Amino acid sequence: MLGGISIWQLLIVLGIIILVFGTKKLRNVGTDLGGAVKGFKKAMHDEEKNKEADKEDADQPHAKVSHEEPGNTYDVQAEEKQAANERNEERK
């Protein structure tokens, strides 16, 4: 059978465990163990969803980069100087 252990020996061991710990404590242990397994399965499922979402995000660009240079630049100081010169010429 199970490595030389018979069903009667397993029942005796189970009976001793029930006598030592009591059914209430064993029920609590079973409930805690079941909750832990359920939480582990949920965490694994959520991790798989996160990996799929990250994979989809990696395929799409985060920002658009352009290396186009503008044709003309706007010089504010030069325009102010030109306006000042025009005003001076009008005064003369």
Side-chain angles (χ1 to χ4, degrees):
M1 291 204 165
L2 298 172
I5 299 174
S6 71
I7 189 75
W8 295 110
Q9 291 171 335
L10 288 175
L11 288 174
I12 292 171
V13 170
L14 181 63
I16 293 171
I17 289 173
I18 290 174
L19 287 174
V20 170
F21 293 108
T23 57
K24 195 177 217 181
K25 184 161 267 192
L26 290 176
R27 189 179 310 129
N28 290 341
V29 169
T31 303
D32 292 343
L33 184 61
V37 170
K38 190 182 289 185
F40 179 75
K41 285 182 180 180
K42 182 181 177 193
M44 292 299 292
H45 183 67
D46 290 345
E47 183 68 26
E48 289 175 7
K49 282 185 179 178
N50 288 342
K51 283 183 181 180
E52 289 174 6
D54 289 344
K55 190 175 183 180
E56 289 174 3
D57 288 344
D59 292 340
Q60 300 194 9
H62 292 283
K64 185 175 181 179
V65 178
S66 175
H67 295 288
E68 297 175 10
E69 294 186 21
N72 296 330
T73 58
Y74 188 74
D75 191 0
V76 175
Q77 291 177 346
E79 187 173 311
E80 289 175 353
K81 286 180 184 178
Q82 185 180 7
N85 288 338
E86 289 175 0
R87 278 189 239 127
N88 286 338
E89 288 177 8
E90 290 175 2
R91 288 183 190 170
K92 292 182 181 179

